[in-house]
Amino acid sequence: MPTLYYHHPDFLEHDTGPGHPESPSRLKAIEQALSGERFQNLQRVSAPLPSVIETKLELIHSPAMIQRVLAGMPKQGLSYFDADTVASPGSKQAALRAVGAVCDAVDRICTGQANNAFCAVRPPGHHAMPGYPMGFCLFNNIAIGAEYARRQYGLERIAIVDFDVHHGNGTQAAFYAQPQVLYASSHQWPHYPGSGDASETGVGNMINVPLAAGTNGKVFRNKYREIILPAVKEFKPQLIFLSAGFDAHKDDPLASLQLVEDDFRWLTDELMQIADACCNGRIISSLEGGYNLKALAACVAEHVLALSDMD
Ligand SMILES: [Zn+2]
């Protein structure tokens, strides 16, 4: 079955202002990279708005937070939820379609219409806390998707692997006491947002693998081989979500890890093998960070080729 590729022009209308690293150019670079002949087998899906919007958002976020974010979208200019979390007039449609893409992927994959999906969305989601937006993120796309899969399809074991260079504090907070969701994150540490120490274990369902600045692909792969991959395998997930950030690349301006394109390819291949063994290959990957446009495009291309099982 083909890999689903979610995209939508509305994602380009989320304007974060001049000089902001989380810019529309990121998705233009990805679209360009995925336009070649190698990607003609992708099933392109226009990211829908979520049905019953408040119900979807309330799976993770408090009514007060949802109200604050939706009411905080400006009619013109920019509004700031914090120093680097920005909304523009186009942000509402973008943020809602980002949630809609992940939930639509849940629907299609849980009803057997596809095995895996890559959601090229923005704003990203994994820093969005249940009670407030944060760190470029308005709503927590992945967390909402995972909770939706749990409630709508009765899944009892969902794994979220977060390889963005920053710790997904919002996702961790959402599921810290939820044993049906395993959250495993590798991230530079100490670094933004400050959480993600290995001692943060939830109810045994949180796996945090902090990595020192300068960590290279060899060490990164070993950490996955020793800690995260065996834990995910042992959990026997019925569905795997990926918080797919590519800012651990050596050329990324916001962090100091030393990964290259091939490391993301390797990790995606490893996760595909686990998904094949545990859950008929079911993986939903959603874009988080990645701020060097050239590196981002190259890493996403490798990630998507791996998802579609192509060299
Ligand atoms: Zn990041």
Side-chain angles (χ1 to χ4, degrees), residues 45-59:
V45 185
S46 181
L49 290 169
S51 56
V52 215
I53 288 169
E54 263 73 18
T55 312
K56 289 277 191 341
L57 301 177
E58 282 176 12
L59 290 170

Side-chain angles (χ1 to χ4, degrees), residues 39-283:
F39 299 95
Q40 63 183 1
N41 290 334
L42 293 179
Q43 185 178 336
R44 290 162 192 269
V45 185
S46 181
L49 290 169
S51 56
V52 215
I53 288 169
E54 263 73 18
T55 312
K56 289 277 191 341
L57 301 177
E58 282 176 12
L59 290 170
I60 295 297
H61 299 293
S62 66
M65 181 276 196
I66 297 166
Q67 168 65 17
R68 180 181 160 221
V69 174
L70 294 180
M73 305 286 188
K75 292 265 186 293
Q76 55 182 14
L78 303 178
S79 64
Y80 285 78
F81 293 107
D82 62 35
D84 49 29
T85 310
V86 190
S88 69
S91 298
K92 182 174 175 180
Q93 291 295 101
L96 293 178
R97 283 194 197 281
V99 170
V102 178
C103 291
D104 191 72
V106 169
D107 284 332
R108 291 192 195 222
I109 287 170
C110 288
T111 55
Q113 299 173 56
N115 282 343
N116 65 29
F118 176 69
C119 304
V121 301
R122 57 185 293 277
H126 72 155
H127 295 307
M129 297 288 282
Y132 51 96
M134 180 177 167
F136 310 168
C137 304
L138 297 179
F139 299 120
N140 197 318
N141 312 317
I142 277 278
I144 292 169
E147 185 64 8
Y148 176 62
R150 210 173 67 79
R151 304 265 190 106
Q152 182 73 17
Y153 294 98
L155 301 192
E156 295 174 342
R157 293 181 312 282
I158 294 170
I160 302 173
V161 178
D162 184 336
F163 55 83
D164 187 279
V165 81
H166 304 97
H167 181 242
N169 56 312
T171 310
Q172 172 166 297
F175 297 116
Y176 207 68
Q178 175 49 265
Q180 294 189 336
V181 178
L182 179 78
Y183 175 72
S185 173
S186 58
H187 42 271
Q188 184 176 328
W189 202 84
H191 197 43
Y192 184 88
S195 53
D197 186 86
S199 65
E200 296 165 20
T201 54
V203 288
N205 63 328
M206 296 284 143
I207 299 171
N208 281 301
V209 178
L211 302 169
T215 294
N216 63 20
K218 185 164 183 265
V219 172
F220 176 87
R221 292 184 192 204
N222 279 337
K223 291 282 189 187
Y224 268 87
R225 277 191 199 101
E226 287 162 15
I227 303 170
I228 292 182
L229 296 175
V232 173
K233 210 170 186 172
E234 192 186 339
F235 188 69
K236 296 189 173 57
Q238 296 161 299
L239 177 58
I240 297 175
F241 287 86
L242 305 180
S243 261
F246 300 91
D247 40 9
H249 189 277
K250 66 181 175 58
D251 296 334
D252 196 274
L254 296 196
S256 320
L257 297 196
Q258 298 293 319
L259 302 196
V260 296
E261 290 85 323
D262 196 47
D263 295 311
F264 295 99
R265 171 75 196 225
W266 172 83
L267 178 56
T268 312
D269 282 335
E270 293 289 318
L271 291 164
M272 286 278 286
Q273 281 181 30
I274 294 177
D276 282 342
C278 295
C279 51
N280 292 323
R282 301 201 296 186
I283 292 181

